[in-house]
Amino acid sequence: MEKQTLGFQTEAKQLLHLMIHSLYSNKEIFLRELISNASDAADKLRFLALDNDALYENQPELKIRIEVDSANHTISISDTGIGMSKEEVTDNLGTIAKSGTASFLQSLTGDQKKDSQLIGQFGVGFYSGFIVAEKVQVLTRKAGLSPSEGVCWESTGEAEFTVEPIEKAERGTTIILHLKSSEREFEDLYRLRSIVKKYADHIAIPVEMLSSSTGQNSDTESEEESSKQQFETVNSAKALWIRPRSEVSDEEYSEFYRHISHDFEEPLEWSHNKVEGKLEYNSLLYIPKRPPFDLWNRDGARGLKLYVQRIFIMDQAEQFLPLYLRFVKGVIDSNDLSLNVSREILQQDPVVDSMKNALTKRVLDMLAKLKKKDKEKYQQFWDSFGSVLKEGPSEDLTNKEKIAGLLLFSTTHTDHEEQNQCLDDYISRMQEGQEEIYYIVAENFKTAKNSPHLESLRKNGLEAILLSDRIDDWLMSGLQEYSGKNLRDISKGKLDFDKFSSEEEKAKNQEEDEKAKPLLERLKASLNERIGEARVTHRLTESPACLALSEYDMGQQMRKIMEASGQKLPESKPIFEINMGHALVQKLDALADEDQFDEFAELLFDQACLAEGRQLDDPASFIRLMNKWLLN
């Protein structure tokens, strides 16, 4: 048997049934598709008329008109575009997935292709009319042909259609949808207006409908009354993001922001860009002034409004920005994207990833410029969205350094709760020889500010970042370093300030460490169940003791978040550090009675827990012991 090459066979009726009933998830999209086709027809005429002005037939106005006849249950979508000849009608409407727009686009070159606003891709949008219609009629005449060369195409969507000649005075196409009895809701003019505003508000061709003061057509309406009907443009026909920035006023930018975000306030900042080259798209991104109520719902609706050649595709296209920038509002318009056939779903591909990377950098650059030029405005942004931006370093390793440069903190330099110091500010104040950025994480600002761990830093004139947001532990675990400087949690591991100490202090510290060994052994035996280790510390100057964590232990904030989410955590015991120069520790060391020693050690340990903002295992026992020793 010889090798054969055979063509696919298509069951047209079954294919049409699939397209009508399975391709689109939302019935109202039929109007978007038919308006897109009408817009393409107008754009084709505009291009062809550049070489042959006679194609306008002394009627240069390009428009789309939608009419409803509630008596006959029809919707008509008319355009004054290029129209079709009999051959084109048979070829384009009689061949499923044959796109006249795609073929026309292939014939364009250079600037023509770049300047086009053609929308159609797959050649299936026309058949969406059968979602709501039991019969579809197409009345059309190609520009330049005589009125007698009009064509009427008609089908019930059952794999057959008829074509016959008609007299048509005006160029262009009229599609008449004879609605199914179950789809009469689309006879409502207000419903149709809302669909036009949603999907086609920004196409360049005006879309006309009866004015709201004029009633819908009816069978009792006289011809004279019909001629008096007033039509009005229902779409804005202005895509702000397509226009050059120099032509758009601040008031227009603000008004458009309110339109797309439903926010009553003006935006804090915006960025409008047109990208050309390997990728081509337009973007208009906004930073709001205030956070929405659902900002902390990471699973909530978010993302940019997606358009393709001014036609609305998707309301929350979350694929173009990372989760930590979910507060950004705006639009993106591109013809380079891979959409599914119904143009309702954005497919994941390298183009989307490239655009996401570019848009992410665009937002971060916009914030960096705002931080540099207007500190007051940036502070307003930070107060609203700073905690969300802190999610960035752990989620976006590529831009970790950029995000870190945008973070603001409270520090011991100012000692107030307002977060207004950045890491660059901290680095500019670092002492000679200081190689690390010090920070402390606590339950709240006051606990952080008064932490015993800060005592030796203050003694040595060193600054520390004070962290108390719920996300701060996670932030620092993802950040770790900035501008070549390691970030150091002063509550973890041993702190070495020898480089800032005199030789005399170093010798004194070594002597204390040696003398403390017996006391440390007693403490380890007494508090064995509650501590991992007891050791002398030189980080304290005023407090008798403090709790530290091992270098790689999980912070207390992170443990609480993990526990709240129901996750099992590894056992972790704190390190009990004592200040040998403090009178209470010296009193403890002098206690010969082991029962008294145990009680006093317990009391000092619980004090250290409270100073850290930890909850006591047994508060009543602590109060009883404290009262007893206060009376001694």
Side-chain angles (χ1 to χ4, degrees), residues 79-84 139-141 143 168 170-174:
D79 67 69
T80 57
I82 188 65
M84 290 181 283
L139 312 178
T140 185
R141 177 175 69 80
K168 192 173 188 301
E170 295 184 344
R171 71 169 190 272
T173 302
T174 297

Side-chain angles (χ1 to χ4, degrees), residues 408-624:
L408 296 182
F409 305 98
S410 303
T411 79
T412 53
H413 177 72
T414 55
D415 262 357
H416 57 66
E417 195 165 356
E418 185 180 7
Q419 297 178 9
N420 60 4
Q421 301 293 307
C422 67
L423 291 172
D424 289 321
D425 293 335
Y426 181 103
I427 290 173
S428 70
R429 295 189 291 263
M430 286 176 66
Q431 288 195 20
E432 187 178 346
Q434 183 182 345
E435 297 174 356
E436 296 176 310
I437 298 172
Y438 300 112
Y439 69 89
I440 181 78
V441 183
E443 185 70 22
N444 54 60
F445 174 74
K446 285 187 177 179
T447 303
K449 178 183 175 181
N450 298 314
S451 171
H453 295 283
L454 295 173
E455 292 175 9
S456 59
L457 268 76
R458 287 197 170 102
K459 174 188 171 185
N460 290 286
L462 299 171
E463 184 178 354
I465 294 170
L466 307 175
L467 302 172
S468 54
D469 288 347
R470 281 180 55 115
I471 196 173
D472 283 338
D473 229 343
W474 189 44
L475 163 68
M476 290 308 192
S477 67
L479 196 54
Q480 296 184 346
E481 69 171 4
Y482 175 74
S483 195
K485 307 287 185 182
N486 289 329
L487 281 87
R488 175 67 187 275
D489 185 344
I490 60 174
S491 69
K492 292 184 179 180
K494 286 187 176 182
L495 283 181
D496 181 13
F497 293 134
D498 281 354
K499 67 183 71 177
F500 305 110
S501 303
S502 65
E503 292 301 320
E504 185 181 342
E505 284 179 309
K506 291 178 186 177
K508 183 183 175 184
N509 291 341
Q510 287 180 349
E511 186 181 341
E512 279 185 354
D513 293 350
E514 196 63 34
K515 283 177 62 177
K517 286 182 179 178
L519 176 58
L520 296 177
E521 289 177 5
R522 291 177 72 190
L523 279 172
K524 182 66 174 98
S526 176
L527 299 171
N528 185 48
E529 296 299 318
R530 303 186 68 181
I531 66 173
E533 180 188 349
R535 69 186 180 203
V536 174
T537 183
H538 303 293
R539 73 173 90 213
L540 301 177
T541 59
E542 300 172 7
S543 302
C546 69
L547 301 182
L549 297 173
S550 297
E551 194 75 46
Y552 302 105
D553 269 2
M554 187 181 294
Q556 287 301 302
Q557 272 193 343
M558 185 66 76
R559 290 185 72 87
K560 287 178 182 178
I561 293 172
M562 301 285 277
E563 283 173 341
S565 65
Q567 301 208 35
K568 190 175 180 180
L569 298 173
E571 185 181 0
S572 175
K573 292 181 180 181
I575 299 166
F576 189 43
E577 296 190 341
I578 57 171
N579 174 9
M580 289 299 294
H582 198 281
L584 287 177
V585 175
Q586 292 168 1
K587 181 175 182 177
L588 174 70
D589 193 21
L591 290 173
D593 185 284
E594 289 303 320
D595 291 336
Q596 287 187 332
F597 181 89
D598 290 345
E599 284 184 354
F600 204 72
E602 193 82 20
L603 194 60
L604 289 182
F605 180 82
D606 284 345
Q607 279 186 350
C609 285
L610 289 174
E612 293 287 319
R614 299 183 183 218
Q615 287 189 336
L616 299 181
D617 295 333
D618 187 356
S621 175
F622 167 74
I623 293 172
R624 189 168 56 250

Side-chain angles (χ1 to χ4, degrees), residues 287-306:
I287 305 294
K289 277 187 178 178
R290 307 196 186 281
F293 70 93
D294 60 347
L295 181 66
W296 287 104
N297 180 9
R298 287 169 60 91
D299 297 322
R302 61 184 178 84
L304 306 176
K305 289 182 179 292
L306 174 62

Side-chain angles (χ1 to χ4, degrees), residues 250-381:
D250 289 355
E251 290 75 17
E252 287 178 298
Y253 279 124
S254 295
E255 183 58 37
F256 183 68
Y257 165 74
R258 286 191 286 266
H259 170 68
I260 65 170
S261 68
H262 309 294
D263 191 350
F264 63 89
E265 290 195 88
E266 293 184 349
L268 186 69
E269 191 73 1
W270 61 81
S271 176
H272 181 190
N273 293 281
K274 181 175 183 178
V275 176
E276 295 180 300
K278 189 176 180 182
L279 292 175
E280 295 192 0
Y281 61 89
N282 292 274
S283 67
L284 178 52
L285 308 173
Y286 290 96
I287 305 294
K289 277 187 178 178
R290 307 196 186 281
F293 70 93
D294 60 347
L295 181 66
W296 287 104
N297 180 9
R298 287 169 60 91
D299 297 322
R302 61 184 178 84
L304 306 176
K305 289 182 179 292
L306 174 62
Y307 289 79
V308 169
Q309 294 287 48
R310 305 181 182 213
I311 286 287
F312 175 73
I313 301 298
M314 193 183 303
D315 203 23
Q316 280 122 13
E318 61 184 33
Q319 297 91 333
F320 294 103
L321 286 174
L323 195 55
Y324 69 89
L325 295 179
R326 58 185 175 273
F327 52 83
V328 176
K329 306 292 183 184
V331 300
I332 180 168
D333 190 328
S334 174
N335 208 23
D336 290 337
L337 300 171
S338 298
L339 299 171
N340 70 334
V341 178
S342 66
R343 298 197 301 170
E344 295 176 278
I345 300 172
L346 180 64
Q347 297 177 344
Q348 192 67 31
D349 68 8
V351 172
V352 174
D353 293 334
S354 296
M355 290 175 68
K356 179 179 180 179
N357 292 336
L359 290 168
T360 298
K361 288 178 180 176
R362 179 72 61 188
V363 173
L364 296 178
D365 288 343
M366 173 172 39
L367 291 174
K369 288 177 184 175
L370 180 64
K371 177 173 174 281
K372 187 176 181 179
K373 75 177 183 180
D374 194 329
K375 288 189 176 181
E376 187 176 333
K377 255 191 179 183
Y378 188 77
Q379 188 67 51
Q380 188 177 355
F381 157 76

Side-chain angles (χ1 to χ4, degrees), residues 215-251:
Q216 297 184 185
N217 298 349
S218 69
D219 55 351
T220 60
E221 193 174 75
S222 69
E223 204 170 300
E224 183 182 353
E225 289 173 328
S226 179
S227 65
K228 293 179 181 178
Q229 289 178 330
Q230 296 294 315
F231 286 85
E232 62 184 3
T233 301
V234 295
N235 64 321
S236 68
K238 293 179 181 178
L240 195 73
W241 59 90
I242 300 294
R243 292 160 56 190
R245 281 178 290 185
S246 58
E247 296 179 9
V248 186
S249 67
D250 289 355
E251 290 75 17

